[in-house]
Amino acid sequence: MLWYLGRRLLQVIPVFLGATLLLYALVFLRPGDPVAALGGERGLPEAVQDQIRAEYNLDQPFIVQYLLFLKGVVTLDFGVDFRGREISDVIASAFPVTIQLALMALLIEAVFGIAFGLWAGMRKGGIFDATALVVSLFFIAVPTFVVGFVMQIVVGVKLEWLPVTAGRDPDVVSLLMPAMVLAATSFAYVLRLTRTSVAENLSADYVRTARARGLRRSQVTGRHVLRNSLIPVVTFLGADIGALMSGAIITEGIFNINGVGGTLYDAITRGESITVVSLTTVLVLVYIGANLLVDLLYAALDPRIRYA
Amino acid sequence: MTPRRLAGIGAFTLASALLLSACGSSGSDDSDSAATGDDAAAGTGIVSVSSGEPQNPLTPGMTNEVYGGLVVKNIYSGLVYYDADGAIQNEVAESIESEDNKTWTITLQDGWTFSDGTPVTASSFVDAWKYTANLENAQNQQYFFNGFEGFSFEENSDIAVEATDDLTITAELSVPSADFPLWLGYSAFYPLPESFFENPDSFNEEPVGNGPYVIDSWTHDQEISLVPNESYEGPRTPANGGLDLVAYTEEDTAYNDLLGGNLDVLPNVPSSAFATFEDELGDRAVNQPAALIQVVNVPEWLPEFQGEAGVMRRQAISLSIDRDTITEQLYSGSRTPAKDFTSPVIDGYSEDIPGSEVLTYDPEQAKELWDEAESMDPIGDYTLNIASNADSDHQDWIDAVCTTIRQDLEIGCEFAPYTTFDEFLDARDNGKVEGLFRGGWQADWPSMSNFLGPIYGTGAGSNDAQYSSEAFDAKLAEAAAAPDTDTATTLYKEAQEILFADLPGIPLWYQNATGGYSENVENVAFGWDSDPILYQISKQ
């Protein structure tokens, strides 16, 4: 297990190098000159622009800029963004709230998705199953920003049940609505995955055997059906951690949350390559970590994978 | 093993449920206490305002965008300030005088201090101006000092400004400018304390100003809290207990927060609410023309727009744009059709400058002019491009304009998008745009010259279409040297006649200040620059 873990951690290095190089190249290839746009419509004097370019190494060739970035990573000094803020500060202020939001969303979609999916799968073809399928189809079909704005206006402005935005000093209550919106699409997938998987496993041989042995219904469901049905669900949830964090751009915008999404969006529109690549690098690491977690969970759920 | 792991999964689910419910209960406690906090704070009356994270250090020389500008104009006091009508009132200045509009003597009031206790002297202004004007300091607002004698864009300059004693400044301009006192209310001309020059870099997080407010706290990307400056004794006395400038990434979100009662003042209504905000907010809606004009520029590098036939084509295009319908239907009245090259909020604005008839929709005359131009100097099967950056919502009006141009002139017309704003700037500034392109101008100070000189003067900083007219330049210079405002206004109108004859830009409409405020605040007025005048807002 330790050897497995170590090997997985070593894989981070090439993934990191490949991902950052690719990202850097993409941002570098972006058309236009971000420094020219700093001054707005009027533009900045040419001499001022030259000084800024020199300050941020933007006058250097691509590969030099990338190597300087790598040097920054190794020395843990990402430098400053166009607004003069330490990029490490930007990362430190953006990630906690996004992580909190993503975890809340993950919890919501996992708990409700698995519970409803289990219920629907156990009574396949029933009224609850049919309703769940229609509702989940709705959540998959309707774009996040529609769900977000509708909930904001109905739940926040009209009914006044939850805060309209989470902008100022977000706590759990003000993050509840954005987390639900963020979770909406994935919740529908989790529900459907669980439902199908449970329905399939219910007719499997080992379940029949377990029943024939006279195990109680709850034991059969919990120990055999649910556990085996969770494997595809866990895969989905694991991959979703990363997706939730990077996919929060729209949700964070709607609810005015100062997280990774908004910061990344700002940095992309400003053409700040270092900020974009730094933030995305952390996201890449989150993906890698989440995948690692999924693999470890697999081993817990299915011993055959562990010994393979 | 199996039962224990099962228990683990069960425990995870149970713990999640508990955690969720715990979140719920602790959360509701939080919101209760927050509510009481708000009630208590109502007495001190903190006004919340929708804004954003400043992009640059909060110093006079660096702040050239709206979010930083909102902070800077409230934490610094200049020699003069603009009232709601755009007229200047003395703030730190006692008097601003000149015999010839070229050499100016400014006298300061005694007794002003910065929030760190140091006095505001003539040097506070002179040093700040020289610092901003100097190339090596790479200040965003360096441009604003190009009217001073001794200024240079190419090398470090020593602008002709002196502190002759603690309370007197003399300034020498390179050409006479009657509206020099109007410049001085602009943020580039604010003073800086001595501590700034010792360490300019440390100044950004904790700027020291002399204005009605000081920064109480600044949570980046979220909120800047301003509280009244206790040592401030000027005319802009705060009528509230402070300002919370809240950063929003989406205008729609800010608008919903205003409707939900979580926000007091919204300086910009999102375009999605243009049609409804006046109904939803009633008399708390603000919709008034601002010092912002939008035009399509006709680049001088396009051969089809040169000479007599070229001018006819310019006129034909202008005549085939139905400004009334577009501003009403597309913008729900949040734009005002243009009648001149300035703005209705500016002194001297006029709707009947000779030549301004080209701004009235007249499809028949448009077609005649285009055909006549075609017979003089044929360009054949033509498609007009109107260029803009695509990362902003300009396509809608360009499509609308193109539709009528296609119909009325029977030529092709296309939106020519540039992916990003800076890509657009790059193409524009290097003369590579193959068609008309959008232009917009927000005035720095409320004067006619600021709408004409920087955009259409030969070689001027924002003359993006590279227009050049000796007659126009001469008229501007004559107006700037005029002995009184009435003469100046007449001359600026004559200058606009030249523009209407040449049409280097085709005026479209003035952008309105569209804003709103909550039931909790009073005395909300929007200034000539379309920003709310924050110090005079009071909260129950």
Side-chain angles (χ1 to χ4, degrees):
Chain A
M1 199 72 178
L2 261 179
W3 166 241
Y4 177 66
L5 195 69
R7 211 178 53 196
R8 286 301 306 266
L9 287 177
L10 275 179
Q11 285 176 4
V12 170
I13 296 170
V15 171
F16 171 82
L17 287 177
T20 49
L21 185 65
L22 199 65
L23 285 164
Y24 225 101
L26 286 174
V27 180
F28 191 84
L29 289 172
R30 170 189 179 279
D33 177 1
V35 175
L38 279 181
E41 288 283 345
R42 195 193 312 273
L44 294 176
E46 201 52 49
V48 175
Q49 289 188 24
D50 287 345
Q51 287 196 29
I52 296 172
R53 280 189 202 103
E55 196 181 329
Y56 291 96
N57 302 316
L58 294 173
D59 48 355
Q60 305 285 343
F62 165 68
I63 199 70
V64 177
Q65 287 192 38
Y66 178 67
L67 289 176
L68 283 168
F69 166 76
L70 280 186
K71 186 181 153 214
V73 173
V74 173
T75 56
L76 287 179
D77 175 19
F78 291 99
V80 295
D81 67 9
F82 283 167
R83 294 182 297 197
R85 284 180 65 197
E86 290 283 340
I87 290 170
S88 46
D89 286 352
V90 174
I91 292 175
S93 78
F95 269 91
V97 64
T98 301
I99 289 174
Q100 197 187 347
L101 182 67
L103 287 182
M104 281 177 71
L106 192 72
L107 204 62
I108 292 171
E109 69 186 51
V111 171
F112 290 98
I114 292 173
F116 290 170
L118 183 64
W119 191 1
M122 299 285 286
R123 288 169 184 72
K124 193 178 158 197
I127 294 178
F128 182 83
D129 184 33
T131 320
L133 283 181
V134 171
V135 170
S136 57
L137 187 66
F138 173 81
F139 279 128
I140 290 170
V142 178
T144 309
F145 73 91
V146 176
V147 178
F149 275 121
V150 168
M151 275 194 65
Q152 184 172 54
I153 290 169
V154 174
V155 181
V157 177
K158 303 284 184 214
L159 298 173
E160 298 182 15
W161 286 351
L162 287 169
V164 179
T165 56
R168 281 178 265 183
D169 196 19
D171 55 16
V172 175
V173 172
S174 51
L175 285 179
L176 199 55
M177 188 156 54
M180 287 194 286
V181 171
L182 187 59
T185 314
S186 300
F187 156 77
Y189 283 118
V190 171
L191 190 157
R192 287 176 158 237
L193 265 177
T194 314
R195 173 197 174 269
T196 314
S197 194
V198 164
E200 248 170 43
N201 284 327
L202 270 180
S203 56
D205 290 345
Y206 65 86
V207 173
R208 212 164 0 131
T209 314
R211 281 200 187 131
R213 278 171 60 201
L215 286 176
R216 267 177 290 126
R217 192 185 163 82
S218 59
Q219 280 176 309
V220 176
T221 314
R223 200 178 293 177
H224 298 284
V225 178
L226 184 59
R227 182 153 157 219
N228 280 296
S229 309
L230 278 184
I231 291 179
V233 178
V234 164
T235 318
F236 178 81
L237 288 176
D240 209 35
I241 296 177
L244 284 176
M245 294 199 60
S246 52
I249 293 185
I250 296 167
T251 317
E252 288 187 358
I254 294 171
F255 294 98
N256 205 36
I257 298 165
N258 168 37
V260 177
T263 313
L264 199 55
Y265 179 82
D266 269 3
I268 291 170
T269 49
R270 277 203 301 269
E272 279 187 31
S273 43
I274 298 182
T275 315
V276 176
V277 178
S278 304
L279 281 167
T280 326
T281 304
V282 182
L283 282 177
V284 168
L285 294 178
V286 171
Y287 263 103
I288 295 173
N291 274 324
L292 187 64
L293 199 69
V294 168
D295 288 354
L296 295 178
L297 260 179
Y298 268 177
L301 284 169
D302 188 343
R304 282 173 306 177
I305 296 174
R306 197 177 345 156
Y307 300 124
Chain B
M1 280 304 273
T2 308
R4 210 182 71 204
R5 243 177 286 114
L6 176 63
I9 295 169
F12 168 75
T13 321
L14 185 64
S16 319
L18 281 177
L19 187 58
L20 265 187
S21 62
C23 293
S25 66
S26 78
S28 61
D29 288 350
D30 283 358
S31 70
D32 284 351
S33 61
T36 11
D38 279 352
D39 289 344
T44 55
I46 309 281
V47 177
S48 59
V49 185
S50 153
S51 187
E53 173 76 4
Q55 284 171 17
N56 298 302
L58 294 173
T59 52
M62 287 303 282
T63 306
N64 62 343
E65 45 79 47
V66 56
Y67 300 139
L70 203 58
V71 182
V72 162
K73 77 168 79 161
N74 283 293
I75 62 172
Y76 292 93
S77 287
L79 292 161
V80 300
Y81 71 98
Y82 307 113
D83 63 18
D85 301 325
I88 48 167
Q89 309 288 341
N90 284 344
E91 193 158 11
V92 179
E94 180 75 48
S95 66
I96 302 165
E97 286 160 343
S98 175
E99 300 277 309
D100 55 359
N101 292 346
K102 199 163 182 283
T103 307
W104 292 82
T105 307
I106 304 159
T107 316
L108 274 59
Q109 294 168 19
D110 203 358
W112 280 77
T113 56
F114 287 100
S115 58
D116 64 357
T118 56
V120 178
T121 64
S123 309
S124 314
F125 287 93
V126 170
D127 294 346
W129 297 0
K130 290 194 166 179
Y131 181 88
T132 307
N134 248 348
L135 195 68
E136 65 180 3
N137 299 320
Q139 298 287 292
N140 288 345
Q141 311 245 61
Q142 185 215 16
Y143 166 91
F144 287 95
F145 292 86
N146 73 348
F148 287 85
E149 188 65 45
F151 177 86
S152 164
F153 277 117
E154 273 82 43
E155 53 184 23
N156 273 344
S157 46
D158 188 21
I159 56 168
V161 190
E162 300 298 334
T164 43
D165 61 52
D166 268 0
L167 296 176
T168 315
I169 302 167
T170 57
E172 183 93 20
L173 304 182
S174 50
V175 291
S177 296
D179 59 4
F180 175 68
L182 277 167
W183 305 5
L184 298 175
Y186 184 66
S187 61
F189 299 95
Y190 290 161
L192 280 166
E194 278 174 28
S195 60
F196 169 81
F197 302 99
E198 286 155 20
N199 191 353
D201 289 337
S202 72
F203 207 72
N204 183 29
E205 290 294 311
E206 289 169 12
V208 174
N210 60 331
Y213 292 92
V214 290
I215 292 183
D216 184 45
S217 66
W218 181 358
T219 315
H220 286 285
D221 293 316
Q222 286 185 31
E223 188 171 85
I224 300 177
S225 293
L226 304 180
V227 291
N229 175 3
E230 283 167 15
S231 62
Y232 179 84
E233 289 169 3
R236 294 190 291 154
T237 314
N240 46 54
L243 305 168
D244 280 350
L245 308 177
V246 186
Y248 282 92
T249 41
E250 298 273 335
E251 285 184 339
D252 289 289
T253 304
Y255 184 68
N256 284 344
D257 247 357
L258 177 73
L259 293 181
N262 292 338
L263 179 74
D264 293 323
V265 182
L266 177 81
N268 278 306
V269 169
S271 50
S272 63
F274 277 165
T276 54
F277 83 102
E278 288 179 303
D279 290 334
E280 284 174 324
L281 296 173
D283 54 6
R284 292 180 285 114
V286 176
N287 187 7
Q288 62 194 43
L292 219 165
I293 186 168
Q294 281 165 340
V295 301
V296 274
N297 287 304
V298 189
E300 298 296 327
W301 55 83
L302 295 183
E304 62 267 34
F305 291 105
Q306 295 310 308
E308 204 181 334
V311 171
M312 280 180 189
R313 289 200 180 96
R314 293 170 190 233
Q315 290 170 338
I317 290 168
S318 179
L319 286 164
S320 65
I321 299 172
D322 187 352
R323 294 168 181 76
D324 292 329
T325 307
I326 294 176
T327 51
E328 200 42 58
Q329 295 194 346
L330 189 62
Y331 290 114
S332 308
S334 66
R335 301 280 191 281
T336 307
K339 305 281 185 205
D340 77 341
F341 283 89
T342 67
S343 158
V345 296
I346 302 298
D347 256 357
Y349 165 78
S350 166
E351 298 199 349
D352 42 18
I353 293 166
S356 67
E357 308 85 62
V358 292
L359 302 183
T360 316
Y361 183 53
D362 189 342
E364 279 127 46
Q365 203 197 340
K367 177 71 177 142
E368 272 172 38
L369 278 166
W370 188 272
D371 289 345
E372 204 179 328
E374 191 58 27
S375 58
M376 284 167 68
D377 170 24
I379 49 172
D381 197 12
Y382 185 70
T383 295
L384 179 72
N385 282 319
I386 303 182
S388 168
N389 46 318
D391 59 355
S392 184
D393 52 358
H394 291 287
Q395 183 170 3
D396 290 348
W397 69 259
I398 293 179
D399 284 344
V401 164
C402 267
T403 304
T404 55
I405 288 179
R406 272 195 298 264
Q407 278 171 7
D408 300 340
L409 302 183
E410 291 168 17
I411 57 170
C413 183
E414 298 288 341
F415 169 50
Y418 288 85
T419 324
T420 58
F421 179 55
D422 48 71
E423 195 191 354
F424 170 63
L425 285 186
D426 192 49
R428 184 187 83 182
D429 295 343
N430 292 311
K432 284 190 241 156
V433 182
E434 293 293 323
L436 309 189
F437 60 88
R438 77 163 179 90
W441 179 259
Q442 178 159 28
D444 304 307
W445 43 79
S447 77
M448 298 186 87
S449 67
N450 192 246
F451 273 96
L452 304 176
I455 321 175
Y456 303 110
T458 303
S462 294
N463 188 344
D464 305 321
Q466 298 176 10
Y467 173 69
S468 175
S469 157
E470 276 178 29
F472 177 75
D473 293 344
K475 198 61 90 174
L476 277 195
E478 199 185 340
D484 58 82
T485 25
D486 286 347
T487 321
T489 303
T490 313
L491 289 164
Y492 283 127
K493 282 184 190 166
E494 287 173 23
Q496 288 194 68
E497 283 182 48
I498 301 171
L499 292 186
F500 273 119
D502 292 348
L503 283 180
I506 299 171
L508 296 173
W509 35 74
Y510 314 110
Q511 190 163 324
N512 289 11
T514 50
Y517 49 96
S518 75
E519 286 162 351
N520 306 325
V521 288
E522 282 179 343
N523 299 325
V524 184
F526 280 58
W528 69 277
D529 57 359
S530 68
D531 274 350
I533 299 174
L534 297 179
Y535 68 89
Q536 62 182 29
I537 298 174
S538 60
K539 188 170 182 180
Q540 287 93 336

